[in-house]
Amino acid sequence: MLIVFLGVAAHAGTMTVNAAQKGGPLKKAGLGSLFGIVTNNVGAWKYYMTNSFLFVSEHQNRIGEGTTIPSGTTAVAPVIRGSKIKMMCRFGDLCYGWAPYTWPGLNNSWLGTGTARSWLAQVTNACNDIKNNYPDVVYAIAIFNEPEDELVDTNFFNDPNISGSTQAQRVNYVWAQTYKVIRSILPTVKIMGPNYEDYRPQYFSSHATMMHDFLTNAIATATVPDIIGWHNLNASPIAPGDIGTALTSYYRPLETSLGVPGAPLPVSIEEFGVNNGAFEGIPGQMVPYWAEFERDGIDFGDMGIYENGGDLGNTMRYTAWDNNPSLNAGWYMMNWYLQMQGEYIPVTKGGSDGVASWNSTNQTLTILFGGADGDTTVQVNGVGALGIRSTVRVRLEMLNWTTNSNVAVTKISCGGDPQTGGYNLYDKNFTLDGSGNLVIPVNAVEGIYNGYRILITTSNAPDIYPTKYEAENATVNHAIRYSTAQASAGSYIGGIDFTDSFVCFHVTAPSNGLYNLFIRYAASSAYGPATHFVTVNGQSQGVVNYPSTAGWSGT
């Protein structure tokens, strides 16, 4: 793909990375999706989900459903078993119907025929299902799903076995009864709640009252959740920041004032995102949420589902869950985030927002960012305090959520266009200023949809294996970085197809002379043989020919 920047872009702002203020490990709470994994995700899907996801929320199966629901817990548990992915079990979906739920009755003494499938009967069955079949993959149980909006049908208000004169009081009563049943069967499982659809007390005083009364009742009945949680699904452009304000300025002070046992409780934003059909899986839309989650210490999060359930959070091109899924830029963005290791580095939003980490093992500062269009300045303070040299190597890469008209279906609802990795925009050395700081200009950022990564390392850092050179660690221009388990070190460079494309290796030889060069490559027979020009120290050395291999996995 040829990237051409024309005209003068508006300045999106200055995003500041404070490298000297290292924190604990990254939480990576945003690497999850509501119904992002289904029973059909087998074969190649297993590799892709394991290399992008940490969390998933799924329907809790009702009595008699077994594995018939593709996004049900019973069906999904075997799919994620053996991976690092953990599951939130949504007990709210034990009710039938939706918007609102149809309340089945609290227990079997009401509603007559069929009451063996009452709420507490369903809860008991679900707990035994978890206990006997998949306790190893469960992160927590969410008792409710948006109870302030979904538990409002006539049955719920008329159920004589529920105490309380208001809807909120009745919800809190059911919470306590349900909590006790779960604890009697699963004494150590984490329980999450209240899972309101919206908790923004900075805008709505009713939200503050609702949470206050929930916690007060939970304390009085000894049913305080292990994890406090709510959803954040509004369409406001400041939605990620709403989470931090609600948590730090309202919830945490409330927790302290009430003396909540176990405080501060871990936090789950079990559904998050902008409900406008242009969020899920899009790199530039996901990163601001990740940034806010890291900033606020959120422990668990799942993207809300608006488009393609079962497509790993819309990070796969819609393929009807076939065995040959196509990755889009969202998957690569999540994979970049998952790969980040080391200590959390705080980022201050400036137009764009991002996540940063310092890995002392490989001496690399990694920055992911997006969320705004226009020329962006990335101000990295305190680089000198990390102990790397005054001249640093900066690699800037972009993931493009394209609307290529040559692709058959470009609608966001179909998962974006297939991508094959990040594009290297530049790879060059920068000199730190006298204070050990670094200014990185990033021109014509398209961060509302695209995602970006900056890698900062010591200039001319030695190779771990000095006689083996990985293309993805070379200086790359106008080519594509791919990720695959079949490549050494998990990546390779392709798309070296343009007049200005090159891969430049910085080789250290013990002395002048002739050396044998062995190249591992793949050249699909669908495109025929390939050739590259080879130069050494600027002098042409001829052409290397690559005969076709059996496929991209050939050598």
Side-chain angles (χ1 to χ4, degrees):
M1 184 187 79
L2 180 62
I3 302 173
V4 181
F5 298 128
L6 299 175
V8 178
H11 190 262
T14 298
M15 185 182 77
T16 304
V17 180
N18 300 295
Q21 301 176 25
K22 298 188 290 292
L26 293 167
K27 287 183 175 284
K28 303 179 183 177
L31 293 179
S33 173
L34 174 66
F35 312 145
I37 296 174
V38 295
T39 187
N40 308 69
N41 295 148
V42 295
W45 289 90
K46 188 83 170 185
Y47 170 81
Y48 295 130
M49 72 177 68
T50 302
N51 285 278
S52 62
F53 270 23
L54 289 176
F55 306 108
V56 67
S57 287
E58 304 288 351
H59 293 289
Q60 183 62 49
N61 286 92
R62 306 181 187 100
I63 294 172
E65 286 180 338
T67 60
T68 61
I69 307 299
S71 59
T73 53
T74 305
V76 172
V79 178
I80 64 174
R81 177 168 284 121
S83 74
K84 57 186 174 296
I85 301 168
K86 295 299 182 182
M87 181 166 60
M88 181 74 79
C89 301
R90 292 164 51 96
F91 274 29
D93 296 330
L94 292 173
C95 292
Y96 291 87
W98 174 244
Y101 287 125
T102 299
W103 180 246
L106 182 65
N107 55 42
N108 292 343
S109 64
W110 190 57
L111 290 182
T113 304
T115 53
R117 297 189 177 188
S118 67
W119 171 256
L120 291 183
Q122 294 278 12
V123 168
T124 300
N125 178 77
C127 289
N128 285 318
D129 191 28
I130 293 171
K131 177 181 178 180
N132 297 328
N133 296 303
Y134 48 93
D136 53 313
V137 302
V138 173
Y139 177 79
I141 291 171
I143 290 180
F144 291 139
N145 175 45
E146 303 175 356
E148 77 277 33
D149 293 326
E150 300 306 327
L151 293 179
V152 295
D153 78 332
T154 303
N155 284 350
F156 188 76
F157 282 101
N158 292 338
D159 191 333
N161 296 306
I162 301 177
S163 297
S165 59
T166 68
Q167 193 266 352
Q169 290 172 349
R170 296 173 76 82
V171 165
N172 293 339
Y173 180 85
V174 173
W175 165 272
Q177 301 305 308
T178 306
Y179 182 105
K180 293 171 182 177
V181 171
I182 295 171
R183 273 286 169 264
S184 70
I185 301 170
L186 297 167
T188 61
V189 70
K190 294 183 177 67
I191 298 175
M192 191 271 279
N195 225 19
Y196 295 137
E197 180 181 25
D198 191 8
Y199 175 63
R200 289 180 294 159
Q202 62 268 42
Y203 302 130
F204 307 104
S205 61
S206 61
H207 292 189
T209 301
M210 191 165 54
M211 185 66 80
H212 174 277
D213 292 350
F214 168 78
L215 288 174
T216 300
N217 178 75
I219 294 170
T221 57
T223 60
V224 172
D226 301 285
I227 304 166
I228 199 74
W230 62 86
H231 295 177
N232 182 268
L233 298 171
N234 64 85
S236 165
I238 59 170
D242 287 347
I243 297 169
T245 301
L247 175 63
T248 60
S249 298
Y250 292 86
Y251 174 75
R252 289 301 188 205
L254 173 63
E255 203 177 45
T256 300
S257 68
L258 294 177
V260 173
L265 298 180
V267 179
S268 165
I269 308 299
E270 196 243 348
E271 293 185 40
F272 67 88
V274 181
N275 189 5
N276 63 1
F279 161 74
E280 189 184 3
I282 299 173
Q285 297 290 306
M286 293 190 293
V287 175
Y289 283 91
W290 300 347
E292 192 65 43
F293 289 173
E294 294 290 354
R295 199 172 285 134
D296 301 322
I298 303 297
D299 298 275
F300 176 101
D302 277 335
M303 291 182 287
I305 177 67
Y306 306 117
E307 308 298 345
N308 300 321
D311 275 345
L312 307 190
N314 212 40
T315 65
M316 311 292 283
R317 182 59 184 259
Y318 181 71
T319 50
W321 305 324
D322 65 21
N323 292 324
N324 296 293
S326 298
L327 305 173
N328 66 32
W331 184 90
Y332 285 99
M333 198 72 191
M334 293 184 76
N335 179 253
W336 277 358
Y337 189 21
L338 185 66
Q339 289 177 29
M340 292 174 70
Q341 301 296 323
E343 299 172 276
Y344 167 68
I345 299 294
V347 175
T348 302
K349 179 181 178 180
S352 293
D353 206 352
V355 177
S357 69
W358 166 246
N359 187 337
S360 59
T361 302
N362 63 11
Q363 298 280 287
T364 301
L365 177 63
T366 302
I367 306 165
L368 304 184
F369 69 97
D373 286 351
D375 292 346
T376 298
T377 300
V378 181
Q379 174 74 42
V380 189
N381 296 329
V383 179
L386 299 176
I388 57 179
R389 302 171 187 172
S390 59
T391 300
V392 296
R393 178 184 180 188
V394 177
R395 284 171 281 180
L396 173 64
E397 300 171 311
M398 180 188 74
L399 287 166
N400 187 50
W401 183 280
T402 182
T403 53
N404 181 354
S405 60
N406 293 320
V407 178
V409 182
T410 60
K411 293 188 299 182
I412 289 171
S413 62
C414 290
D417 292 336
Q419 300 290 305
T420 50
Y423 292 89
N424 181 276
L425 299 184
Y426 63 69
D427 187 344
K428 56 187 177 183
N429 289 341
F430 283 73
T431 301
L432 305 183
D433 66 19
S435 300
N437 302 329
L438 175 64
V439 176
I440 304 173
V442 187
N443 295 327
V445 167
E446 296 179 338
I448 291 179
Y449 285 91
N450 297 342
Y452 295 81
R453 177 169 72 171
I454 293 174
L455 301 171
I456 302 172
T457 57
T458 299
S459 178
N460 299 320
D463 284 316
I464 298 175
Y465 304 104
T467 58
K468 178 183 179 183
Y469 297 89
E470 298 283 353
E472 61 270 22
N473 295 327
T475 299
V476 179
N477 191 72
H478 205 173
I480 304 171
R481 179 194 297 266
Y482 296 81
S483 296
T484 176
Q486 297 168 324
S488 60
S491 299
Y492 66 97
I493 300 298
I496 314 170
D497 300 327
F498 305 92
T499 56
D500 62 340
S501 296
F502 64 79
V503 180
C504 180
F505 297 88
H506 299 275
V507 176
T508 300
S511 61
N512 293 335
L514 297 175
Y515 293 86
N516 290 321
L517 175 64
F518 299 92
I519 303 173
R520 184 173 188 260
Y521 77 97
S524 173
S525 58
Y527 296 95
T531 58
H532 280 157
F533 294 100
V534 179
T535 63
V536 177
N537 295 332
Q539 300 297 313
S540 176
Q541 304 296 315
V543 175
V544 60
N545 296 300
Y546 303 107
S548 298
T549 60
W552 291 118
S553 62
T555 59

